[in-house]
Amino acid sequence: MKEEMPYGKKRNRTPVFDHYFPLFVPSDRGPDRTFNDSKSRVQWGGFTLRWYQEVFKSRTIMNAFYTTITITLVASIVATLLGTLAAIGIHSMKRRQKALMLGATNIPLLNADIVTGISLMLLLIKFTRLGMNTVLIAHITFNIPYVILNVLPKLNSLSPNTYEAALDLGASRPYAFWKIIWPDIKGGVFSGFLMSVTMSLDDFSITYFTKGPGVNTLSTMIYTELKKGIKPEMYALSTILFLIALLLLLLMNYRSSKKSTALTT
C-alpha cells in the first residue's frame, strides 16, 4: 500500500520551483550564444570563450564597469548612513509628524523612474553641470527611502525602556546606542544596504537623465551599444552579470536558511 506524505511536506515540495523557474527560462537564450564562435545568432560556428575575453579587453565595457561599481558602493554607503539616521529621527517623532515624514518618504517609491529622473535633472542643472557627481546625488536620493523602510520596522520593535535604563545606569548615548539599539537594527541596516546596491546596479532611467557626457554605467552603455546592433560581447556581459546576481542570491538564501535552522535547533 502506497504511503501518503504528510500534508505539510506534500504542500511544500515544489511551489518555489514552479513559480520562479519560468522567470529564469528566458535567461538561457543569452548564454548559449556566448559560446558560439560565429557572430550569427542562428548558425553554430563552434565552441569558443573569446567573447568573454573580449569583454575584459574592451576599454568601453571596463570603464562602464568601474563607474558602475564606484557609483553603487559610494551611493549605497552614503544612503545607508543617511537613511539610518533619518529612520532614527522619524522613530522619535510624534505620530502626526511621523505620518507626514513617511508620506514624503514614499513619494520617490511611488513615482515612475522617468519622472524622478527628469525632476532630478531639472533640479541639479540649476546648481551644477551633469556628470559623475550628479549621478551619485541622484542614486543617494532614491536609495534613502529604501533604507528607511528597512530600518524603521526594526526600530519600532524595540522597547524604549531598555535604552533609557542604560542611560540611567550611567552609559553614554553612543555606548547605549551601540550596545542596545545597534544589535537589533543591524539586520535592517544590512538589508537596506543590499537593496541600495541592487537598485543602483539595476537603475537605468534616473542614471540616463542625470549623467553627463562621457559618464556611462553598464546599463546606459548597453543601451548605447544596442543601437549599433547586438554584439556577442553584450551577451557575454549579460551572462556574467546574471551569474553574479544568481550567486549572491544563493549565498544570501543559504545564510538566511542557516540562521533559521540554528534558531529552530
Side-chain angles (χ1 to χ4, degrees), residues 90-101:
I90 293 174
H91 177 70
S92 62
M93 291 180 178
K94 296 181 180 180
R95 181 175 299 179
R96 182 174 298 180
Q97 295 173 337
K98 183 185 294 186
L100 182 62
M101 290 302 298

Side-chain angles (χ1 to χ4, degrees), residues 239-257:
T239 302
I240 293 172
L241 295 176
F242 172 76
L243 291 177
I244 291 174
L246 182 61
L247 180 62
L248 290 175
L249 179 64
L250 292 176
L251 289 175
M252 290 174 59
N253 287 340
Y254 174 76
R255 183 181 177 184
S256 61
S257 62

Side-chain angles (χ1 to χ4, degrees), residues 26-35 52 232 235-236 238-239:
S27 303
D28 70 343
R29 302 310 304 159
D32 59 356
R33 297 190 179 106
T34 63
F35 302 112
Y52 289 95
Y235 287 123
S238 301
T239 302

Side-chain angles (χ1 to χ4, degrees), residues 206-236:
I206 297 176
T207 304
Y208 181 79
F209 285 106
T210 56
K211 76 181 186 69
V215 178
N216 263 326
T217 61
L218 285 175
S219 58
T220 57
M221 184 274 298
I222 291 174
Y223 174 75
T224 304
E225 291 295 324
L226 287 179
K227 293 181 179 179
K228 306 174 185 178
I230 302 178
K231 300 179 181 179
E233 294 93 326
M234 295 297 103
Y235 287 123

